[in-house]
Amino acid sequence: MLWFLSLLLVLLGCLGNDMRVNGAQSYRKGKATETHSCHYVRQVSDSMRSPEEMRPDGLNSTFYKKYTEAYGIPILGSNKVSDDALKRACYTVRYLFAGHSGVRNTFYKLGGRFAIMAETEVTLDVPEHSKMGSIWNTRARGLGGTLPTPLTTGAEENLLCTKTDRYPKEDIFLHEAAHAVDLIAARVAIPTFVKAKEDAFKNAKAKGLWDNTYAMTNSVEYFAEGVQSYFNVNNEGPAGGDAIHNNIDTRAELKTYDPLLYKLIEEIFPCDNAYLKRCDSTRAKEQAQTLKMSCNTADKDIPDNLNNPSCPDSRPIDCLVWMIGGECQRNPGYMNSNCKASCNACPKPPADCVDSSTWCEAWAESGECKNNPGYMLSNCKWSCAQCYV
């Protein structure tokens, strides 16, 4: 199972000389919407291709030709992939990010996106994965995104249940999307998430839960396999496991078998919407479904470390990666100076440092703090970084 650790280190950018993430360091402008246009596939516009929108290096113009979106999160593909596959993937994205506003907005702000491979395409055809070893062309039909490279991929044949699908009994795209929720959004949006996940994994390992299954590879696969079972789209194996699965493949079974994992997943997906399974559904049914939104109550819509213009990190994406890796505790001298937001080391803002309009953030991003300082510096103090002036 060392292949997964090696891949994770590469994707997290931890094998470089200075552990820095290449490419854009900025957050995506604005915030996630609560709407979608999953029914509508259109051409990728030039304005979408910038590194600021699509970290770390922007969108390759040769490969990426069309997309749809849910909550402003793009689901992309080449001209080879069918519109139907993009629409089905969009439904899964729409479903997974409906319930928790903090997870949804964090994923959006950090440049999260999805790409679907056509049946005739392979992993290395995807530009962001083109430098990986050729073994991945046969090893994987989808990879989860990470903070440095927030692209998650899936495969047309699995989404549409065609005869060429290697995993006919599993929703592999949902599995990879669960990795993205974990490795990009939840660990930033929910302060307790990483520790709770690691504690649940250690507890499961100590009790012999999930022995002889893929879930015991590491805490990342443990979470993703749990999400599949939570949404009743995992493959059922024998009791005792077959090296990949055991007999826990439904939400009810998961709740009884591993209550800590169940509770963790329930926090990320709190709305209890019904998931329309890929092989039993149609795009019309998915489009017609109304999903409950933003059922979380304890966590903020946008975490403070992504939304403090007066106290920004010097390298926002690097700082988040380092914070998650424990550098705030191991290297406080550097981190509390250069990564104040990520390490929660910003001074408390004055009580009057607020925005008087919900439009302030958008106005600030469009340059109005400089263009219209008379109004903006008085009425949009937070968005114009006036809290500590």
Side-chain angles (χ1 to χ4, degrees):
M1 297 299 183
L2 290 177
W3 64 266
F4 182 86
L5 178 58
S6 298
L7 172 64
L8 190 59
L9 288 171
V10 170
L11 292 178
L12 288 177
C14 294
L15 298 182
N17 292 330
D18 62 1
M19 292 179 65
R20 290 194 173 194
V21 177
N22 294 323
Q25 285 282 321
S26 56
Y27 301 136
R28 185 180 275 155
K29 290 183 178 181
K31 61 187 295 186
T33 70
E34 291 197 354
T35 61
H36 71 93
S37 58
C38 290
H39 63 289
Y40 176 39
V41 176
R42 59 276 209 188
Q43 289 186 331
V44 176
S45 65
D46 290 341
S47 63
M48 291 177 60
R49 297 187 183 276
S50 70
E52 289 72 27
E53 284 292 310
M54 305 289 179
R55 290 192 304 104
D57 301 314
L59 284 185
N60 178 283
S61 60
T62 302
F63 183 80
Y64 291 113
K65 296 297 185 181
K66 57 185 180 178
Y67 81 105
T68 184
E69 61 79 33
Y71 316 127
I73 298 167
I75 299 92
L76 302 133
S78 72
N79 280 332
K80 293 181 180 180
V81 70
S82 68
D83 288 1
D84 213 33
L86 292 179
K87 291 175 182 179
R88 171 62 198 185
C90 189
Y91 168 74
T92 300
V93 172
R94 175 189 164 214
Y95 178 88
L96 290 178
F97 288 96
H100 197 294
S101 60
V103 170
R104 180 172 64 250
N105 278 307
T106 299
F107 190 81
Y108 174 88
K109 293 291 287 184
L110 292 175
R113 62 189 183 276
F114 296 84
I116 304 305
M117 295 177 284
E119 289 190 59
T120 57
E121 293 172 332
V122 293
T123 297
L124 269 65
D125 288 331
V126 178
E128 291 88 339
H129 296 159
S130 62
K131 295 182 181 179
M132 297 173 65
S134 59
I135 188 176
W136 290 99
N137 284 339
T138 53
R139 171 66 185 83
R141 292 300 289 160
L143 293 171
T146 64
L147 271 170
T149 305
L151 171 76
T152 298
T153 57
E156 179 177 34
E157 69 274 9
N158 184 254
L159 287 158
L160 300 182
C161 304
T162 70
K163 293 180 180 179
T164 61
D165 184 13
R166 299 182 201 170
Y167 310 97
K169 296 182 179 180
E170 292 190 73
D171 193 329
I172 297 298
F173 181 68
L174 183 137
H175 177 103
E176 301 304 338
H179 283 324
V181 169
D182 172 359
L183 296 172
I184 299 172
R187 59 186 49 217
V188 176
I190 303 173
T192 58
F193 173 77
V194 172
K195 185 178 186 303
K197 185 184 70 169
E198 296 301 326
D199 287 348
F201 179 67
K202 291 175 183 176
N203 175 74
K205 195 169 186 178
K207 292 183 176 180
L209 304 179
W210 310 103
D211 278 354
N212 197 28
T213 72
Y214 190 54
M216 278 292 101
T217 304
N218 50 49
S219 64
V220 175
E221 295 300 345
Y222 170 70
F223 177 77
E225 286 289 306
V227 170
Q228 280 186 263
S229 294
Y230 187 85
F231 292 121
N232 306 305
V233 291
N234 214 337
N235 189 16
E236 184 176 15
D242 60 5
I244 304 296
H245 301 103
N246 63 11
N247 58 322
I248 307 302
D249 67 326
T250 69
R251 183 179 300 190
E253 291 168 342
L254 178 67
K255 185 175 184 179
T256 301
Y257 183 74
D258 193 341
L260 288 182
L261 179 56
Y262 179 93
K263 181 180 178 182
L264 178 68
I265 295 170
E266 186 180 42
E267 181 181 4
I268 308 299
F269 308 106
C271 282
D272 196 28
N273 290 307
Y275 184 57
L276 302 179
K277 295 183 180 182
R278 61 199 174 97
C279 298
D280 301 330
S281 185
T282 66
R283 307 299 80 81
K285 289 180 181 178
E286 293 155 8
Q287 181 67 19
Q289 185 183 22
T290 299
L291 298 177
K292 290 179 285 185
M293 297 282 295
S294 305
C295 301
N296 56 300
T297 56
D299 304 299
K300 296 184 178 181
D301 283 350
I302 299 180
D304 288 342
N305 56 5
L306 300 186
N307 189 38
N308 191 341
S310 294
C311 184
D313 290 333
S314 62
R315 292 181 62 84
I317 306 304
D318 282 341
C319 285
L320 286 175
V321 173
W322 295 334
M323 176 271 290
I324 291 166
E327 289 302 310
C328 296
Q329 293 75 35
R330 282 195 294 268
N331 190 9
Y334 177 88
M335 294 293 288
N336 288 340
S337 176
N338 294 279
C339 300
K340 289 182 179 180
S342 288
C343 292
N344 292 316
C346 293
K348 186 176 180 179
D352 66 345
C353 190
V354 295
D355 289 338
S356 63
S357 170
T358 57
W359 287 95
C360 282
E361 182 181 355
W363 291 336
E365 288 180 344
S366 67
E368 287 302 302
C369 296
K370 291 182 179 179
N371 297 334
N372 187 12
Y375 175 87
M376 292 292 290
L377 299 188
S378 296
N379 294 280
C380 298
K381 290 182 179 180
W382 178 266
S383 291
C384 288
Q386 296 298 298
C387 289
Y388 310 120
V389 175

